[in-house]
Amino acid sequence: MALPLPARATDEILSRLAALHPKKIDLSLARMERLLEALGHPERRLPPVIHVAGTNGKGSTIAFMRAMLEAAGQSVHVYTSPHLVRFNERIRLGAPDGGRLVSDAALADALDRVEAANDSAPITLFEITTAAAFVLFAEHPADVLLLEVGLGGRLDATNVVDQPLASVITPVSIDHVDFLGSSVAAIAGEKAGIIKPRSPVVVGAQTPEALAVIERTAAKRLAPLFVRGEHWNVQEEAGRLVYADENGLMDLPRPRLVGPHQIDNAGLAIAALRTARLPAAQDAATLQSGIIKADWPARLQRLAPGPLVSRAPAGVEVWLDGGHNAAGGAALAHALCELEERYSRPLVLILGMLGTKDVTGFLSPFTGLVREAIAVPVPGEHAGLKPEEVAAAAVGLGIKASVARDVASALDAIAREAVVPPPRVLIAGSLYLAGAVLAANGAALA
C-alpha cells in the first residue's frame, strides 16, 4: 500500500539531508551551535530538561520516567534514538492526555524549516534532525522534556542545554570505541560531558573506574551527585521493587518490562524524578502506575503473533532485544537464566551484529545457556558482520552455530528441527535488526 504523501515527503527530506555530510557520525558541537543560532536558539525555549547519557538502559529509564510523569498528569516531550520502524518514533510531543509521536506533516514542516536555516552547510543527519526536534519541542508547551544523548555526551548534538533539571548517567561500559575511546574511563569521560555547573547528577550502577571519572567531573562543576549505593538504592525483594533514599523506603511492583536490569532502570528513573523534585516522584501510587505501564519495544520483548512469528512452530516463544554490546549480552543472559528457572526450555539465539560490535563479548555470557546460535545479516545499508563471522565467533566459544539468509529462514530452520520441548528463541544483536523484525511481524509503534 502506498504511503500517504506527507510520509513520502519526510522520507525524501531525510534522504536529501543525509547527503549534506560525508560521515554518519562526526562528533562536534560547532555545526549544531551554528544551526541553532540561525534558528533563533530553540534550545533556549525548551521545557525543563532531564538529560540522559550512558551505555545501556537510557531508553528504558526514559520510558519509566515518561510513564511516571504521565501518570501524574504531566505533559512530557521525549527525544530518543535510533528508531525501530519509523523515524517519527524519535520525537514524542507531550499532551495532557498522553504524548503522541510527531505526525508526518509536522515532522516534514520542521525539517523543511531547519534545512532552509542550514542553507546547505555541512551537517550530520543526527544534528539536523535534533535541531528539528528542538524546534518542535520549543513550539509545543510541555511540563518536561526527556532528552536522550545520541552518542557519548560531551560532543553530542543534544549537549546544548545549559541548565537541565538533572543529568542522568546510566551504567557505562565498552561500546562505540571508534568514537568514545577503548577504556571505561575514557568512555565515562565522554558521558560525564553532559554534567552542567551546579545541576544535579543522578548516577546508576557504575564500575569504580567509571564512577571515579564521573565524580571528578561533577566536583569540577560543583554539580551535586546522587549515586546509586550511596544516596539511593533499588533492589528486588520477594518479587517486588524496593526503592530507598534519604526520604525513606517504597515498596513497589516489579516492572512489566522483563529482566533484572529493568529493576535497575526503574530505580534510576525514580531517583532522577526525585532529584529533579518533580511531583510524580513524591507519590507512591503514581510511581506504581508508571512502573506497571512503562513499555519500551525491543527490550526483551516477547513478540505477539504476526507474519514473522507464525514461521515458528507451535509453542515456541519468540523474544526480541536490541542489545549489542558485552554489558547488554550479560544483562540478557541473566534475564534468560531467570526465565529458564521459571520454565525450562532450550534456548536458540538468532543473532545479527554490526561490524563495529564485539560479537565475542556479547556472546560470552550465553556460553552454557544457549543450545545453538543462528547468524543472520543485519538488513539495510548498515555495515553488518557477515553471518559466517558471527557463527565463527560462536563456535569459538563452544556454541553450536549455523547461518541463515534472514530471520524468517532461521525460524524455518528451527521449525524443521522439531526440538522438544519447543524452544525459547531470542533475536538479538542490533537495534536495526530488531526494527526490521518488528516491521516484518506487523508492528505499528505509537
Side-chain angles (χ1 to χ4, degrees), residues 47 87 106 155 261 430:
F87 187 90
L155 297 176
H261 54 292
S430 166

Side-chain angles (χ1 to χ4, degrees), residues 116-134:
N118 186 63
D119 196 24
S120 299
I123 197 159
T124 67
L125 183 60
F126 184 74
E127 289 164 348
I128 206 163
T129 54
T130 300
F134 286 168

Side-chain angles (χ1 to χ4, degrees), residues 12 29 32 34 43 49 54 62 78 94 97 109 118 138 143 171 195 214 222 224 247 271 278 350 367 369 386 415 419:
E12 290 167 3
L29 285 178
M32 189 69 179
R34 169 190 54 74
E43 81 283 7
V49 172
I62 286 174
V78 182
D97 60 344
D109 175 68
N118 186 63
D143 297 302
I195 297 174
I214 294 167
L222 303 178
N247 296 313
L278 291 170
I350 298 176
T367 304
L369 178 63
K386 293 180 180 178
V419 176

Side-chain angles (χ1 to χ4, degrees), residues 184-274:
V184 169
I187 295 170
E190 295 297 319
K191 309 292 186 185
I194 71 167
I195 297 174
K196 300 300 189 299
R198 295 182 170 82
S199 290
V201 186
V202 188
V203 184
Q206 304 291 346
T207 64
E209 187 180 9
L211 182 57
V213 174
I214 294 167
E215 287 177 332
R216 284 198 300 271
T217 304
K220 289 178 184 176
R221 296 173 189 173
L222 303 178
L225 265 180
F226 298 87
V227 178
R228 180 177 177 177
E230 297 180 30
H231 307 97
W232 64 274
N233 212 344
V234 66
Q235 59 190 11
E236 182 182 357
E237 292 184 10
R240 303 277 293 175
L241 183 155
V242 178
Y243 175 90
D245 61 18
E246 62 179 5
N247 296 313
L249 182 146
M250 286 187 290
D251 180 15
L252 299 164
R254 183 173 175 146
R256 181 174 65 173
L257 292 172
V258 178
H261 54 292
Q262 296 297 359
I263 298 282
D264 301 335
N265 294 331
L268 181 55
I270 295 170
L273 297 185
R274 288 169 80 86

Side-chain angles (χ1 to χ4, degrees), residues 15 38 92 100 197 200 251:
S15 296
R92 180 177 291 272
R100 302 286 187 277
D251 180 15

Side-chain angles (χ1 to χ4, degrees), residues 12 62 68 125 161 163 211 258 261 291 294 330 365 388 393 403 408 417 420:
E12 290 167 3
I62 286 174
M68 293 169 186
L125 183 60
V161 177
Q163 285 295 308
L211 182 57
V258 178
H261 54 292
I291 287 172
E388 291 78 10
V403 302
E417 287 188 23
V420 178

